[in-house]
């Protein structure tokens, strides 16, 4: 059932060199994506999920960023490619769409210009052919009367339309992998579903792999096949989507799941809130990074950090195999 | 396992070197921005001392003519040489600096008062705002130096009139800066609350709005000082500022222009002093701005 | 929807019409500033030896004895028929005098501003791209020097080097364009460089900070994610967006340019509008002073109108807001 692995991130460590010394934002993250698969990466803001996605395309300022580990794509480590080799991959083999469609399009060029630009960079076609392709892409992403729209500027389109344009730009060269960084966060709820459906649809048509970065578990449940949960720059749990929702092993994942409101649940009960706040990356807790906020933390947790363990369902927790499996009333009663 | 550790070790030391390099360049940058302030203050203070002690620094008075000694090149006796009337150039330049500094400080001081009052009151009273800001617009639509020429041409060329003219053209700039800083405070809720409690207008203006305008005011005043030195020199150069024979850096340069083919020192030395005065003040202002509000757009002036 | 070209024409026409009250306001202010400052043209004209009776006679002849309001309306009325008055000193219509002196000033300012933009914009871009490096710091020190060095001083220092020491360029003077283009330029290089340096410094500083702002925008990241080359990102994607503040500063520095030409023309004895203006101030030639200031103000607002129109060329969002 498993298709060949498209992208393999292993031990990725991204460090920002700031004025106050280096800060490691992504710490030893590993995961794989196959063609036709949608991998969800979830976590709170500041957990390093966006930096992870930008590291894959090496979009961060390399004068102030240091990458370690490997990102293997088609038997090549992206982290060791030259800038020029990297450019031929960006937008061509691996594409990316961003959170805020309002600011992610260049305001002074028409959307046709912006789609055609990608095509002309990566394919040897003239301007006319590129524009024809741009119209086709707009039609593919469900924009009405694309022949007219292609000459419009970003400010003449709504947010949802702009995100469709972003998708058209990203997919113009039929990439093998799409990295979508919170593609629906800035959109209205009704538009969100349309955009997600569109991404799913095009994924199937183009047989791409998709990495979907989000903080929204609803989105994950809707479209992902596998999920990676990140906390404070590290992967704390990874599993198939059904497995994760039915049988979350990490206390953080459990907390996340319980903080989502459920219609069929007891609505008189208060929503679960994970206690405490996300610690600063400059002051990472000793031992398990989640220990200060965890209801199950023991001395062991506070002393040494657990490894990411397991095979198909991986988890980074000392107690994953014992008491946590029978999560339930006890846990909920505890958190208020 | 071993190989891996070794590998990581080298990687680590490499990156550590990079980090140290990065940190060092950062320190240099910080030092530089501080150094701007430092250099600026040193230059300005030094020129201030020269201006203050002018009579004691020179063995000739600036007006003393020795026609036999016309246009002599710099020597031990006349450090900066002599001018076309045989006057000691060092003495004239030092006294000219004194004039520039006096004009600059006076204009800075006067506009600080007029600009603050106009700025604060137009921030508080809407009807005053309309009138005063339109007048400021009118004054600013006109190149400042032309207005200054017109005013000194009408009032007569002497130091007092130059100061008056420069104060008139610089007040709008200060008033605007003060006004925009004060309006930010005025629109805050607690001012409304104060008014509701019966605080008087002048109390709100001077105790609550004024303090917020201090740092932009100080920065802008530094630039007004610099611009005043610059325009005074230009005015005197054009013959509309300090009238000869009284020395001013501008009119020395004018004398120098006539004899530029035979006496380079009459252009270079007064020029150097103008440059140092303005540069010192600009450095000081830029450094101050970086320190006081690092988020302002550096290019805006 | 009406065609875009027509809309543009209507817009320009509207803007031109809206300039009229501004200019009338300037005219009123100019008149009163000039007439209310002390100084008597008749006395200046006749010199210190003239008797009060002679001065009074001349005042009558010039119409200066009339009430100021009356003087104002006779001048102001003339404006509507295109009559800016006649110089009593130079015995010529003001407009004619202005046109006679315009050539040198126009050449000088176009050359200076062109030179400034040509140097400053690439300088600011490079400084922004290499922020914090030696290049950046050098450029910024040079531009600080630029705003600290008065134009006339730079002019003098340049002549000291290129005219006195090296003898490459003439120290002063002016040759009209019909004496040959090279002659024309030879006389204008130093004045234009002196005038352009401060402009260049201001524009370079604004370019740098505007580019820094734009380069941190999301759409720059999008362009990188598309595989666009760095150089294309800077010149195609960033520069056009960064251009609005740069245009603004170019428009604003036009005021400096006018003030600068006044001083520079006097250093190099260039017979331009600045010289005319300084002369009219010193001799209290009311008609020339009023007329020339008004014309300068008009050109100032016109330049700003052009800058406004260029906003629309650079940024499509400005075009849209105009249509609605």
């Amino acid at each position: 059932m498993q298709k060949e692995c498209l992208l393999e991130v292993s031990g990725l460590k991204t460090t920002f060199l700031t004025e106050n010394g280096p800060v490691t934002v992504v710490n030893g993250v590993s995961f794989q994506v196959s063609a036709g698969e949608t991998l969800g990466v979830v976590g709170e803001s500041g957990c390093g999920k966006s930096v992870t996605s930008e590291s894959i395309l090496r979009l961060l300022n390399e004068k102030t960023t240091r990458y370690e580990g490997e990102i293997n794509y088609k038997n090549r480590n992206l982290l060791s490619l030259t800038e020029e080799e990297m450019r031929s991959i960006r937008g061509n083999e691996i594409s990316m769409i961003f959170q805020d469609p309002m600011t992610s399009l260049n305001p002074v060029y028409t959307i046709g210009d912006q789609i055609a630009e990608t095509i002309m960079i990566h394919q040897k076609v003239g301007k006319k052919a590129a524009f024809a392709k741009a119209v086709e892409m707009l039609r593919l992403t469900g924009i009405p009367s694309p022949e007219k729209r292609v000459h419009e500027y970003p400010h003449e389109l709504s947010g949802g339309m702009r995100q469709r344009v972003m998708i058209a730009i990203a997919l113009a060269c039929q990439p093998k992998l799409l990295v979508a960084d919170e593609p629906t966060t800035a959109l209205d709820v009704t538009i969100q579903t349309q955009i997600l459906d569109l991404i799913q649809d095009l994924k199937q048509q183009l047989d791409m792999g998709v990495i979907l970065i989000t903080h929204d578990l609803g989105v994950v449940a809707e479209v992902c096949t596998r999920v990676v949960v990140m906390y404070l720059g590290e992967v704390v749990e990874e599993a198939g989507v059904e497995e994760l929702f039915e049988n979350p092993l990490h206390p953080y994942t459990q907390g996340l799941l319980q903080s989502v409101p459920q219609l069929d649940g007891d609505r008189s009960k208060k929503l679960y809130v994970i206690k405490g706040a996300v610690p600063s990356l400059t002051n990472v807790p000793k031992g398990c990074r989640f220990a200060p906020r965890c209801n199950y933390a023991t001395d062991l947790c506070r002393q040494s950090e657990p490894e990411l363990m397991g095979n198909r369902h991986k988890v980074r927790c000392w107690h994953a195999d014992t008491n946590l499996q029978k999560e339930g009333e006890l846990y909920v009663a505890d958190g208020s | 396992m071993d190989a891996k550790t070794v590998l990581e070790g080298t990687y680590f030391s490499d990156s550590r070197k990079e980090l140290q390099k990065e940190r060092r360049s950062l320190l240099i940058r910080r030092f530089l921005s501080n150094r701007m302030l430092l250099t600026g203050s040193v230059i300005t203070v030094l020129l201030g001392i020269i201006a203050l002690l002018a009579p004691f620094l020179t063995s000739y008075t600036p007006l003393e003519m020795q026609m036999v000694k016309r246009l002599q090149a710099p020597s031990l006796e006349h450090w900066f040489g002599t001018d076309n009337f045989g006057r000691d150039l060092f003495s004239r330049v030092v006294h000219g600096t004194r004039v520039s500094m006096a004009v600059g400080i006076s204009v800075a001081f006067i506009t600080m008062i007029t600009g603050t009052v106009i700025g604060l009151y137009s921030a508080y009273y809407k009807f005053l705002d309309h009138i005063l800001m339109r007048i400021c617009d009118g004054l600013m639509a006109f190149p400042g130096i032309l207005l200054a020429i017109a005013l000194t041409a009408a009032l007569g060329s002497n130091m007092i009139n130059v100061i008056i003219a420069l104060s008139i053209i610089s007040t709008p700039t200060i008033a605007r800066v003060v006004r925009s800083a004060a309006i930010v405070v005025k629109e805050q809720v607690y001012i409304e609350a104060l008014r509701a409690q019966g605080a008087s207008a002048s109390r709100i203006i001077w105790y609550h709005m004024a303090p917020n305008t201090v740092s932009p005011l100080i920065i802008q005043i530094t630039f007004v000082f610099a611009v005043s030195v610059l325009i005074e020199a230009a005015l005197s150069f054009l013959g509309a500022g300090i009238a000869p024979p009284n020395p001013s850096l501008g009119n020395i340069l004018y004398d120098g222009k006539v004899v530029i083919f035979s006496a380079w020192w009459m252009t270079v030395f007064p020029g150097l002093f103008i440059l140092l005065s303005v540069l010192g003040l600009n450095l000081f202002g830029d450094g101050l701005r970086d320190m006081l509000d690092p988020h302002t757009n550096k290019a805006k002036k | 929807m009406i065609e875009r070209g027509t809309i543009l024409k209507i817009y320009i026409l509207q803007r031109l019409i809206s300039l009229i009250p501004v200019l009338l306001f300037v005219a009123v202010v100019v008149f009163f500033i000039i007439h209310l400052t002390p100084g008597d043209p008749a006395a200046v004209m006749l010199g210190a030896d003239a008797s009060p009776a002679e001065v009074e006679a001349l005042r009558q002849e010039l119409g200066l004895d009339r009430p100021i309001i009356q003087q104002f309306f006779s001048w102001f009325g003339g404006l509507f028929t295109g009559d800016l008055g006649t110089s009593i000193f130079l015995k010529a219509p003001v407009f004619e005098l202005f046109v006679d002196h315009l050539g040198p000033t126009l050449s000088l300012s176009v050359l200076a501003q062109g030179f400034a933009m040509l140097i400053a914009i690439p300088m600011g871009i490079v400084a922004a791209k290499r922020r914090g490096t030696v290049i950046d710091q050098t450029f910024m020190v040079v531009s600080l020097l630029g705003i600290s060095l008065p134009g006339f001083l730079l002019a003098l220092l340049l002549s000291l080097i290129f005219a006195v020491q090296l003898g490459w360029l003439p120290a002063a003077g002016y040759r009209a364009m019909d004496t040959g283009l090279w002659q024309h330029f030879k006389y204008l290089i130093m004045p234009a460089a002196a005038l352009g340096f401060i402009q260049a410094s201001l524009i370079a500083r604004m370019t740098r900070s505007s580019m820094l702002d734009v380069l941190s925008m999301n759409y720059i990241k999008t362009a990188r994610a598309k595989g666009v080359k760095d150089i294309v990102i800077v010149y195609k994607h960033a520069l056009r967006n960064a251009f609005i503040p740069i245009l603004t500063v170019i428009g604003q520095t036009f005021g400096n340019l006018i003030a600068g030409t006044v001083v520079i023309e006097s250093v190099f004895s260039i017979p331009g509008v600045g010289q005319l203006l300084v002369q009219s101030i010193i001799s209290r030639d009311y008609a020339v002073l009023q007329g020339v200031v008004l014309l300068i103000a008009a050109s100032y607002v016109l330049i700003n109108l052009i800058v406004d129109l260029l906003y629309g060329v650079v940024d499509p969002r400005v075009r849209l807001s105009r249509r609605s």
Side-chain angles (χ1 to χ4, degrees), chain B residues 15-165:
Chain B
S15 53
R16 185 182 281 173
K17 255 184 237 155
E18 266 175 36
L19 274 176
Q20 278 174 347
K21 216 174 107 193
E22 189 67 31
R23 217 174 291 165
R24 212 178 307 137
S25 88
L26 210 109
L27 276 175
I28 291 170
R29 237 177 295 154
R30 280 228 180 120
F31 182 61
L32 258 178
S33 72
N34 268 336
R35 211 169 61 180
M36 263 201 327
L37 192 63
L38 204 73
T39 321
S41 350
V42 167
I43 294 175
T44 310
V45 167
L46 222 64
L47 286 170
I49 291 173
I50 288 175
L52 220 60
L53 299 180
F56 308 104
L57 290 174
T58 55
S59 35
Y60 301 89
T61 73
L63 300 180
E64 191 179 325
M65 292 193 230
Q66 287 178 283
M67 289 311 259
V68 277
K69 286 194 180 172
R70 290 178 66 225
L71 295 177
Q72 285 190 347
S75 64
L76 276 178
E77 198 184 340
H78 297 286
W79 293 353
F80 288 0
T82 60
D83 74 356
N84 42 343
F85 292 103
R87 294 174 293 200
D88 179 50
L89 192 62
F90 178 69
S91 171
R92 286 185 71 74
V93 166
V94 164
H95 279 88
T97 308
R98 188 183 166 96
V99 170
S100 296
M101 289 287 152
V103 168
I105 286 192
S106 312
V107 174
F109 189 71
I110 293 171
T111 52
M112 189 163 79
I113 295 168
T114 54
T116 305
V117 171
I118 293 176
L120 285 178
Y121 278 85
S122 51
Y124 191 84
Y125 295 106
K126 268 243 162 66
F127 67 96
L128 261 181
D129 192 34
H130 285 300
I131 303 166
L132 290 173
M133 285 303 122
R134 285 299 82 70
I135 294 174
C136 286
D137 281 348
L139 284 173
M140 284 171 99
F142 201 80
I145 193 164
L146 292 184
L147 197 60
I149 294 173
L151 287 167
T152 54
L155 301 171
S157 319
N158 62 46
M159 198 162 114
I160 302 291
N161 289 339
V162 169
I163 292 172
I164 292 173

Side-chain angles (χ1 to χ4, degrees), chain A residues 166-225:
Chain A
M166 280 302 292
I167 294 170
I169 291 174
L171 303 187
C173 295
Q174 272 101 27
K176 296 279 174 296
L177 178 69
L178 176 70
V179 183
D181 185 358
E182 307 245 11
T184 57
T185 309
L187 302 174
D188 287 348
V189 183
T190 45
I191 313 288
Q192 279 186 15
T193 321
Q194 292 175 12
I195 295 291
L196 286 175
D197 287 348
L198 178 66
I199 293 175
Q200 283 302 93
D201 209 34
L202 293 173
K203 180 193 82 177
Q204 244 129 45
Q205 280 187 39
L206 303 171
D207 195 30
M208 299 184 292
V210 174
I211 298 176
L212 185 73
I213 316 282
T214 181
H215 65 266
D216 187 340
L217 285 168
V219 169
V220 171
E222 206 170 324
V223 296
C224 295
T225 37

